[in-house]
Amino acid sequence: MSDENPLNDLYMDRHDVDQQALRDVLSGLIGIDSESGDPIYLDAYFELGNKQRFVAQLLFREASVILGEREESEQGAASGAFAEHLDSSGSAVQNYSGDLEFVESDESRGGYVIRPHHVQAAVSYLKDAREQVQSDA
C-alpha cells in the first residue's frame, strides 16, 4: 500500500494552465514579436469588441509570462495602458474589469491581470466571443 496521500494531486501551480487552449484562443488574434516579445495585433483582433480585446490583451500577457518574455511583476498594466490598444478609455477598462469575474487589479503583478487559476474562464470567454463574431459574419 502506498504512503502517498491521494490528495497530493490536487496541488497546482499558478501557471498550470491549458497552454494549448490558450494558444488556440490567441492564434490569429495576437502574435508575439520574436525580437521584442511585444504583441502584434492581427486583423481578427480588431473585429472584437473592446471588452473582448481587453481579455485578449490579458491572455497575451499571461502567455508572455509563461513563455518567459515578461516578468510576473510586469504581467499587468494600468487601465490607460490597456486602453491604448482599444477604442476606449481607461475608465471603460476599469468598468470591463469590474464586469469580468476573472480579472483583478494586483499591484504586485503590475496592475490588471487574470486572477490566479482563472485563465480557463478567460479563455472560454474569449473563445465564445470569437465564435459569436464568426457566426455574425
Side-chain angles (χ1 to χ4, degrees):
M1 190 164 132
S2 174
D3 291 333
E4 187 172 322
N5 187 333
L7 297 176
N8 283 337
D9 66 351
L10 295 177
Y11 285 117
M12 295 182 73
D13 182 272
R14 199 184 84 61
H15 297 295
D16 287 344
V17 300
D18 183 344
Q19 293 181 8
Q20 184 65 46
L22 180 58
R23 180 231 171 255
D24 290 348
V25 80
L26 289 176
S27 181
L29 289 179
I30 301 177
I32 301 174
D33 186 281
S34 59
E35 291 183 23
S36 68
D38 291 338
I40 299 172
Y41 299 104
L42 305 172
D43 289 343
Y45 171 83
F46 297 102
E47 295 172 3
L48 297 172
N50 283 328
K51 188 187 290 187
Q52 293 80 22
R53 289 183 200 175
F54 172 58
V55 174
Q57 289 182 44
L58 289 167
L59 288 170
F60 161 79
R61 289 171 166 273
E62 184 77 28
S64 67
V65 168
I66 293 169
L67 290 169
E69 292 290 335
R70 178 184 310 263
E71 295 295 323
E72 189 171 344
S73 63
E74 299 172 346
Q75 180 174 351
S79 58
F82 283 108
E84 288 180 20
H85 300 285
L86 304 172
D87 295 326
S88 194
S89 66
S91 61
V93 171
Q94 292 170 357
N95 290 335
Y96 303 150
S97 69
D99 291 344
L100 300 165
E101 292 181 11
F102 50 82
V103 177
E104 71 179 353
S105 181
D106 182 345
E107 292 309 313
S108 70
R109 291 169 58 202
Y112 288 109
V113 293
I114 298 172
R115 293 177 187 275
H117 310 296
H118 286 76
V119 173
Q120 190 57 47
V123 166
S124 294
Y125 174 86
L126 190 57
K127 181 180 178 198
D128 291 348
R130 289 190 74 181
E131 289 172 357
Q132 183 63 42
V133 167
Q134 290 172 349
S135 71
D136 289 345

